[in-house]
Amino acid sequence: MPATPWISLTTDYGLTDGFVAACHGVIARLAPAVRVIDVTHLVPPADVRRGAAVLAQTVPYLPVGVHVAVVDPGVGTARRGVALATPGGLLVGPDNGLLPDAADALGGVTAAVLLTEPRWLADRVSATFHGRDVFAPVAARLALGAPLVEAGPPVDPDDLVRLPAPTLTSDDDGFTAEVSTVDHFGNVQLAAPAHLLDPLPAALRVGPPGPEPTRPAVRGRTFGDAPAAGLVVYVDSADLVAIAINGGRAVDLLRVAPGDVLRVSR
């Protein structure tokens, strides 16, 4: 496998401890010429679904390389560590649902291995810090061109853990979708593809499904298409339906969190 001079890191490690620096340090010791892109280290702790969404929506825009993701509440348990090959790069991390959506975004898994080869890991592997002791050294070796098959035995890609499909239903009046993510600006992304907006009019209603009150919104292309403090339903940069407030935070008004369900209707 040819060397890939890029590694990306996506974690829930935060920025107040030395965890991220330790991962950078392991990579720098093993592969000092490899460049590292920090995608984010502010995934909410243990929020695998949020980490998976950030990773999948980001990797298509990164250089071809090795993408390490660590949101790993099961670290040290029977959950597996894996590395995945795709047409668009390699993915390294826990087998807990974090990686497959990103693999799909890069063309699908063409090969997968378990990370069990001791020579590829730290001399002493902590039960609680596999980012430093397993995933970082594996990523560095892969970035240097080491063959994936040497990292451990193969695993059937169909056996990889996948997150449950998000809630999504549609009808003639609109659709009901699970909140996928909430970004830094308070915009609410739904697990709804852009085409679900096509048959809907300019004037919409947004709110919880069922008899509870809904709020008026406009269908727009960007935030300024709504009046000040108004709700706008639009297609975001990931080609998913999202809800924002012109000059505000939609998440605060709608009082939702990832995993909740919203309805967008006529």
Side-chain angles (χ1 to χ4, degrees), residues 9 13 15 29 32 38 48 50 61 64 83 99 102 154 156 161 175 177 180 193 195 199 218 223 239 244 247 259:
L9 293 175
Y13 286 162
L15 299 174
R29 285 185 171 205
D38 292 292
V48 176
R50 171 64 173 163
Y61 302 97
V64 174
L99 304 180
D156 187 340
V161 173
F175 57 89
S180 176
H195 70 82
V218 299
F223 314 115
D239 288 326

Side-chain angles (χ1 to χ4, degrees), residues 3 39 41 44 52 54 59 69 80 88 97 124 127 138 144 177 203 213 253 261:
V39 175
H41 300 291
V54 170
V59 290
R80 306 179 298 182
R124 185 182 68 84
V138 166
L144 290 173
L253 180 67
V261 176

